[in-house]
Amino acid sequence: MTMDIHEILKTLPHRFPILLVDRVLELEVGVRIKAIKNVSINEPYFSGHFPVRPVMPGVLMIEALAQAAAILGFKSFGEPGDNSVFYFAGIDDARFKRPVEPGDQLKMDVEILRVSRGIWKYKATATVEGQLAVEAELMCTMRTIA
């Protein structure tokens, strides 16, 4: 399964400026997702991070991976309702291997490691031009908010 931005907007509650998934290249329900984030100089955080050498903040790379994980979770375990959100429950072994700069395309690979007591654990990596940029294990949970 692939998804364009219109389908992503139907699935995720995120909107500008924090929506960080542009396209889903592959989605195997209950198993894995491959998605991309096109990094543009027009991103609002680049004016301050850093003015001399713009670099995508590591926390936003992790957030992009978490959003890809949320899409996988929603598609695997139930479409989101208007009040459904995917929350972080934890991050383990996060490592940043190379800077991500304007013009880069962040290719994200996220796979489900296990689901237990409402917590999903994912192995997540992102590359730029075949080079590892970030890796982490993410734990998330789906909640309905009032």
Side-chain angles (χ1 to χ4, degrees), residues 104-117:
D104 286 344
Q105 185 176 70
L106 197 63
K107 292 187 178 178
M108 301 174 282
D109 292 292
V110 179
E111 67 179 81
I112 297 172
L113 294 177
R114 69 176 174 271
V115 180
S116 176
R117 296 184 306 226

Side-chain angles (χ1 to χ4, degrees), residues 45-131:
Y45 51 81
F46 280 134
S47 63
H49 197 269
F50 299 98
V52 218
R53 175 86 186 244
V55 176
M56 185 177 190
V59 69
L60 292 180
M61 289 188 269
I62 296 289
E63 174 64 24
L65 289 166
Q67 289 180 22
I71 293 169
L72 177 58
F74 282 138
K75 292 296 183 184
S76 298
F77 303 105
E79 284 292 323
D82 288 341
N83 296 330
S84 296
V85 294
F86 232 61
Y87 285 127
F88 266 128
I91 304 168
D92 290 329
D93 301 320
R95 298 290 180 266
F96 303 95
K97 303 294 189 171
R98 76 177 298 281
V100 176
E101 302 174 319
D104 286 344
Q105 185 176 70
L106 197 63
K107 292 187 178 178
M108 301 174 282
D109 292 292
V110 179
E111 67 179 81
I112 297 172
L113 294 177
R114 69 176 174 271
V115 180
S116 176
R117 296 184 306 226
I119 303 287
W120 288 269
K121 187 164 189 174
Y122 301 90
K123 177 182 184 331
T125 61
T127 60
V128 173
E129 296 181 359
Q131 293 182 323

